[in-house]
Amino acid sequence: MADLFEDYPFARAWDEMFAAPGEIRAAYESVFAALQTMDAADLKARADIMGRTFLDQGITFALGGVERPFPLDLIPRIVTATEWQTVENGVPQRVRALEAFLADVYGQGRIFADGVVPKRLVTTSPHFHRQVMGMNAQDGARVVISGVDLIRDENGEFRVLEDNVRIPSGVSYVLENRQAVTQVLSEAGADQLVRPVSEYPGQLLAALRAVAPWNVTDPNVVVLTPGVYNSAYFEHTLLAREMGVELVEGRDLICRNNRVFLRTTSSEMPVHVIYRRVDDEFLDPMQFRADSLLGSPGLVNAARAGNLTIANAVGNGIADDKLVYTYVPDIIRYYLNEEPILQNVDTYRMEVPDHREYALEHLAELVLKPVDGSGGKGIVIGSKADRAVLRKARETILENPRGWIAQREIALSTVPTLIGEKMRPRHVDLRPFAVNNGRGVWVLPGGLTRVALPEGELVVNSSQGGGSKDTWVLGGPVDVIGPGPAADSTQVLSTLDLAFQQPLSPPEEILGFRAQHEQQQQSDGGRGERQC
Amino acid sequence: MLSRIAESLYWLGRHVERADCTARILDTYLHLLPAGSWQADHQVIRSLLDSMGLSDDETVGAGSQADSGQLVRALVFDSDRASSVAGALTAARDNARGVRDAIPLDVWECLNVTWHGLRTREAGGAGPHVFLRWVGERCAIANGMVSEVMSHDEGWQFLVLGRSLERTDMTIRLLAAAESETGSVPPWRALVSACGGWEPYVRSYGGSIGQRSAYEFVLLDRMFPRSVIRSLNTAEACLAELEAIGATRYMDPRRDPSSARRIVGRTRTGLDYRTGAELAADREQMLATLQRTVYSAHTAVTKSFFRREDSVTWANIGAAGGAA
């Protein structure tokens, strides 16, 4: 064993590199071999070069007003083709179910009538917006971009930790991490087929164009950012640049006669699709917070009138509410008549008396989460909390049972991470990004692996001192690998559905893009006829 | 193109040029003056400060007490002041940050690296000369990237327009301050050097220098890229190009895209058909005209290209949309 791995500790958690002490899982062999030739100083030097590059290029996130590079650990996290199949089938299933749920909630409400989900649960959510009730132009494509957070439990099974169907962020790090790791650690992946992530912007643009209002032939897509002070501003610029669309701020937009325009140097340019990175509450001062300067008054009316598509749709927050999360397996069964492919983490609803009673007795073994929290805020990990904290948690729960859930504490899987001079296991999660064009859901082969850098820490959020890793999804026996990339992608892209369901081999980007583009036009026509 | 992006690019061009020019001017005068006379009570310094609009500024210490260190700090390193070298570079970087998706990665990276370098360079303690030279290099890289990597599209025209107007402006300010006594070095030589044109000047005029030839060179030289007439020509060309681009599209009738070009062109013609001697004789009025030109051109550009509509009011939405 290399020096780097000396005294590598093992615990209850599933380690993704080692099956047992000294026994390396097959997928990691080439990485391990590459690491054998290096020592800690070597790796450190490479990591420094990478950090410098990130800072110079401004690949940063803002924490407390200071721009920092997002800490990237060099050792990639590897997912085999077989393991990935679960994700590639499970995530679309979940997205489809949540789409149906959202359409139903803002439509007829069948699921309430059938008693599967209590209506009270949805209407008490702060993310339920009456303002978009009855809007159905976007049904099936409300969740264009989603990030379902996955973890692997002690047996290596993928489980869903939470759904993000509002504004999941982090995909820019997936793209940048891949570039950085291939630049400084090129020897590691030499003999494996790692599936590319670079097709994401193309897929996203194709989907955004596909969900445009039906009567527009050449839709104009823009990315709406809150501005340079937003912590994810870098990501907004990257996506706009890679898609070749305008990055706009609220003050660039103007709504008139239920149509939306951009202010340009000559006159006003119509906008048809807004990929917004602004929260619901700030999007439209006419409907929500009247003091917001981040959005533009009239956007929701324009969407209601069918002249604008907002992606993701307003009001999606009810679907990633942590309490609704506990019902998602039932939701999947109800709408799709399928068994969930990805399991939830065992969760207790604090508003159900039996659950609450059990949870209050076993507080020290559970993880408590506020249902509307994000960024790892407010989470209480029972086994790590002292008495006073637990007592306070108990009081808060009794005060507002709707506001909390409790989950079994799961030892997240670990991946070796360079800590100081040594490799140490650190807990990771995975956020695969999925793009829904209204007809199919495409999952980016890769995703954001976040790693909790402090020892034993289970919260991996970037605002809590987390780092990230590049995620390699291996091509393999389950994939069909064509003879040549160009010929292959033409075949794969010959129909839109295929393009979204099958993994693409290394893309011939321009060709693929044009093919998708043309298909958008066709699919638009199709949608139009249906509606007439 | 978006008005906001056009405006940011215009200011990006202005700020980079301002940093570059200020650095060159300060470096020249720091060098030429005998040691110890770099003080606020020195005549040249006073008129320079005057021309930069800083003469009444307390913090610069333009009054009487100022020492050279304080002055250098204020003009070079004070990043809160938009007219200082560091301040201009910070402003350029902020503008670039707001339009990151619209400029090439290389340009952004260059400005970002420069901005990160400001603090370390200042702390490096190698003195203003080294710092100013470094700034000159960084600006040259930024300008090189803009010219060689960036597509020469509408946004580029705005950037170059901003740069040309700023260049004209800085040169005029320099001319206004140039008559003052510079000690051991003749003032006209200082003027030409501060424009970065000493070598080409010597080549075309020989070593002798006087007011007339210096004026002629700085204002009217057709070959020197930093002369006023060249800068105005560039600005005019950009404006003509922008007008042509706009002509292919529907134009808001309330805007007048040719107003700025008329203003610049009129003054440029005035320079074109006069001699250096005539200009030197009519010095004060000519400088006033030039200053007014730059200012009105800037206002015209802002009005016709960056115009923001009045913000929408609630009543307005109800009347127009009928859906409120």
Side-chain angles (χ1 to χ4, degrees):
Chain A
M1 222 184 217
D3 260 351
L4 282 168
F5 288 93
E6 209 179 355
D7 302 330
Y8 188 82
F10 288 85
R12 196 162 61 96
W14 173 271
D15 192 85
E16 303 204 1
M17 187 162 183
F18 295 99
E23 192 184 316
I24 298 151
R25 294 185 203 276
Y28 278 89
E29 269 164 12
S30 68
V31 170
F32 186 74
L35 289 175
Q36 293 283 20
T37 64
M38 291 173 225
D39 57 13
D42 233 6
L43 268 183
K44 198 93 197 144
R46 292 175 189 229
D48 285 347
I49 295 174
M50 216 165 55
R52 187 77 237 164
T53 317
F54 274 22
L55 205 58
D56 285 351
Q57 297 186 349
I59 303 173
T60 53
F61 71 100
L63 192 55
V66 184
E67 289 169 46
R68 307 158 191 259
F70 193 41
L72 166 60
D73 185 72
L74 272 178
I75 318 303
R77 188 252 190 111
I78 304 176
V79 182
T80 65
T82 320
E83 290 167 339
W84 186 252
Q85 273 224 307
T86 318
V87 178
E88 208 161 39
N89 296 327
V91 169
Q93 181 193 45
R94 230 174 147 91
V95 172
R96 278 185 292 130
L98 292 178
E99 283 283 1
F101 177 66
L102 283 166
D104 195 14
V105 167
Y106 288 112
Q108 297 177 324
R110 280 194 301 131
I111 197 165
F112 307 133
D114 290 341
V116 180
V117 173
K119 185 166 189 175
R120 167 178 48 86
L121 183 76
V122 167
T123 49
T124 54
S125 165
H127 300 298
F128 173 74
H129 292 306
R130 220 168 315 171
Q131 290 90 335
V132 294
M133 204 65 198
M135 278 169 64
N136 58 7
Q138 227 176 309
D139 281 359
R142 289 165 180 267
V143 185
V144 178
I145 305 99
S146 55
V148 176
D149 282 354
L150 301 177
I151 56 169
R152 299 183 73 175
D153 65 12
E154 295 85 346
N155 303 317
E157 289 295 318
F158 280 109
R159 283 172 182 270
V160 178
L161 194 61
E162 62 182 55
D163 303 290
N164 293 286
V165 295
R166 276 174 285 163
I167 309 177
S169 69
V171 74
S172 58
Y173 300 113
V174 177
L175 305 176
E176 292 296 334
N177 287 358
R178 175 61 56 84
Q179 222 166 22
V181 169
T182 43
Q183 275 164 11
V184 300
L185 202 70
S186 49
E187 53 271 64
D191 56 343
Q192 283 164 312
L193 177 66
V194 179
R195 291 176 58 187
V197 293
S198 53
E199 53 193 289
Y200 180 83
Q203 293 278 11
L204 178 57
L205 180 59
L208 288 170
R209 292 176 60 99
V211 302
W214 63 272
N215 52 359
V216 182
T217 46
D218 187 13
N220 185 19
V221 178
V222 300
V223 178
L224 175 63
T225 173
V228 295
Y229 298 108
N230 187 269
S231 58
Y233 179 68
F234 160 70
E235 176 158 315
H236 309 159
T237 63
L238 181 104
L239 288 175
R241 195 175 56 227
E242 297 264 319
M243 291 195 287
V245 305
E246 296 284 0
L247 179 68
V248 307
E249 295 177 14
R251 55 195 164 124
D252 296 323
L253 294 172
I254 182 164
C255 303
R256 185 180 308 121
N257 293 330
N258 287 340
R259 290 180 188 277
V260 183
F261 301 91
L262 285 180
R263 294 177 167 138
T264 74
T265 48
S266 50
S267 58
E268 289 162 358
M269 185 166 66
V271 174
H272 307 108
V273 181
I274 296 184
Y275 174 26
R276 49 85 176 235
R277 300 296 299 253
V278 175
D279 288 335
D280 284 355
E281 285 75 15
F282 294 93
L283 192 61
D284 186 345
M286 245 174 85
Q287 308 287 352
F288 307 109
R289 285 183 56 155
D291 59 344
S292 168
L293 297 172
L294 301 178
S296 178
L299 289 183
V300 171
N301 276 344
R304 187 180 278 280
N307 296 323
L308 175 74
T309 300
I310 300 174
N312 288 344
V314 176
N316 278 7
I318 51 165
D320 59 14
D321 182 294
K322 290 204 177 62
L323 201 47
V324 172
Y325 160 89
T326 63
Y327 288 92
V328 171
D330 299 329
I331 291 175
I332 293 175
R333 290 187 198 104
Y334 178 74
Y335 290 111
L336 307 181
N337 204 15
E338 294 171 12
E339 274 305 303
I341 299 170
L342 290 166
Q343 302 302 320
N344 274 4
V345 175
D346 307 334
T347 306
Y348 304 95
R349 299 165 188 150
M350 290 300 102
E351 58 167 8
V352 178
D354 292 354
H355 286 201
R356 185 166 64 230
E357 206 167 299
Y358 172 85
L360 289 176
E361 273 170 31
H362 297 83
L363 272 186
E365 300 150 30
L366 297 169
V367 180
L368 301 170
K369 292 182 177 177
V371 294
D372 57 353
S374 70
K377 276 178 229 138
I379 293 180
V380 178
I381 297 176
S383 61
K384 300 233 164 66
D386 57 24
R387 273 233 179 106
V389 175
L390 287 181
R391 200 165 47 237
K392 187 139 185 291
R394 175 190 300 269
E395 280 166 19
T396 341
I397 289 170
L398 287 173
E399 220 168 82
N400 178 18
R402 166 71 176 86
W404 293 83
I405 57 167
Q407 289 179 336
R408 179 170 78 81
E409 185 180 328
I410 289 189
L412 274 56
S413 61
T414 57
V415 179
T417 303
L418 184 68
I419 303 286
E421 306 256 291
K422 292 274 182 272
M423 288 295 169
R424 288 292 171 258
R426 288 294 180 264
H427 295 295
V428 296
D429 75 347
L430 174 66
R431 176 178 287 182
F433 290 90
V435 175
N436 173 13
N437 69 354
R439 302 177 64 196
V441 181
W442 174 80
V443 183
L444 172 69
L448 182 64
T449 292
R450 291 178 298 180
V451 46
L453 293 175
E455 192 175 353
E457 177 65 56
L458 287 171
V459 181
V460 294
N461 207 283
S462 52
S463 42
Q464 305 267 325
S468 72
K469 280 174 171 292
D470 189 17
T471 312
W472 291 3
V473 172
L474 300 184
V478 292
D479 289 61
V480 185
I481 299 156
D488 191 40
S489 51
T490 338
Q491 280 170 11
V492 170
L493 288 171
S494 58
T495 75
L496 191 66
D497 288 343
L498 270 179
F500 270 90
Q501 276 161 16
Q502 279 207 354
L504 299 177
S505 37
E508 224 282 282
E509 292 207 4
I510 297 163
L511 182 65
F513 188 67
R514 193 187 306 136
Q516 285 169 18
H517 178 87
E518 283 161 10
Q519 283 149 8
Q520 295 329 312
Q521 309 299 322
Q522 288 166 10
S523 69
D524 278 338
R527 285 175 45 164
E529 280 163 28
R530 257 208 329 277
Q531 298 215 357
C532 282
Chain B
M1 105 174 296
L2 289 191
S3 300
R4 175 176 58 83
I5 290 179
E7 189 169 12
S8 286
L9 287 172
Y10 172 83
W11 279 107
L12 171 62
R14 282 200 83 141
H15 283 303
V16 170
E17 186 64 20
R18 183 176 297 176
D20 189 28
C21 287
T22 313
R24 188 180 300 103
I25 292 169
L26 291 174
D27 200 22
T28 306
Y29 281 94
L30 273 171
H31 252 223
L32 290 179
L33 292 179
S37 60
W38 176 243
Q39 280 171 12
D41 56 349
H42 197 286
Q43 208 187 348
V44 171
I45 308 305
R46 174 159 297 169
S47 35
L48 265 183
L49 287 178
D50 225 5
S51 65
M52 290 178 186
L54 295 174
S55 49
D56 299 327
D57 201 317
E58 292 280 315
T59 48
V60 183
S64 53
Q65 305 295 322
D67 57 39
S68 55
Q70 195 180 348
L71 258 174
V72 170
R73 266 198 303 282
L75 292 177
V76 179
F77 297 119
D78 184 355
S79 53
D80 292 335
R81 186 189 299 279
S83 57
S84 81
V85 176
L89 287 174
T90 306
R93 188 255 184 188
D94 284 347
N95 274 301
R97 190 160 180 243
V99 295
R100 266 175 76 160
D101 59 308
I103 55 175
L105 196 62
D106 294 316
V107 175
W108 153 250
E109 194 175 334
C110 170
L111 291 168
N112 194 39
V113 168
T114 309
W115 180 73
H116 280 299
L118 285 178
R119 276 164 296 175
T120 48
R121 291 277 163 170
E122 185 189 349
H129 175 62
V130 176
F131 180 82
L132 293 170
R133 285 296 296 266
W134 174 76
V135 168
E137 276 168 28
R138 295 307 303 182
C139 292
I141 296 176
N143 281 330
M145 295 281 187
V146 165
S147 128
E148 301 303 320
V149 181
M150 192 169 172
S151 166
H152 289 200
D153 55 7
E154 196 181 355
W156 184 84
Q157 303 285 356
F158 277 110
L159 199 159
V160 175
L161 172 64
R163 183 205 291 166
S164 314
L165 286 181
E166 183 71 23
R167 188 176 288 179
T168 314
D169 191 48
M170 290 300 281
T171 311
I172 298 165
R173 282 161 192 269
L174 199 55
L175 277 169
E179 272 204 332
S180 333
E181 195 52 50
T182 38
S184 58
V185 182
W188 308 114
R189 175 168 178 168
L191 167 66
V192 175
S193 303
C195 291
W198 181 245
E199 286 181 29
Y201 174 85
V202 171
R203 230 166 278 136
S204 46
Y205 289 85
S208 69
I209 187 158
Q211 184 189 24
R212 191 189 55 81
S213 57
Y215 258 76
E216 205 167 82
F217 180 77
V218 172
L219 283 170
L220 297 180
D221 195 275
R222 297 320 199 256
M223 265 87 77
F224 179 52
R226 315 188 73 86
S227 72
V228 170
I229 193 145
R230 276 286 288 240
S231 309
L232 287 178
N233 265 325
T234 314
E236 200 182 339
C238 291
L239 286 165
E241 193 65 36
L242 287 172
E243 203 180 324
I245 293 171
T248 61
R249 292 194 292 245
Y250 165 74
M251 197 76 192
D252 187 334
R254 289 165 297 181
R255 306 179 191 219
D256 181 3
S258 52
S259 58
R261 189 171 61 84
R262 284 199 303 272
I263 294 167
V264 173
R266 200 180 302 142
T267 308
R268 196 262 309 153
T269 321
L271 287 180
D272 238 347
Y273 297 102
R274 284 201 228 170
T275 63
E278 280 170 332
L279 289 172
D282 199 13
R283 183 173 169 276
E284 267 175 29
Q285 207 199 331
M286 175 217 35
L287 285 179
T289 314
L290 282 172
Q291 243 152 13
R292 216 169 34 240
T293 303
V294 173
Y295 179 76
S296 348
H298 167 73
T299 315
V301 167
T302 307
K303 266 200 185 142
S304 47
F305 295 110
F306 312 148
R307 177 196 171 99
R308 298 202 185 289
E309 249 70 13
D310 310 323
S311 56
V312 178
T313 60
W314 291 85
N316 209 343
I317 292 166

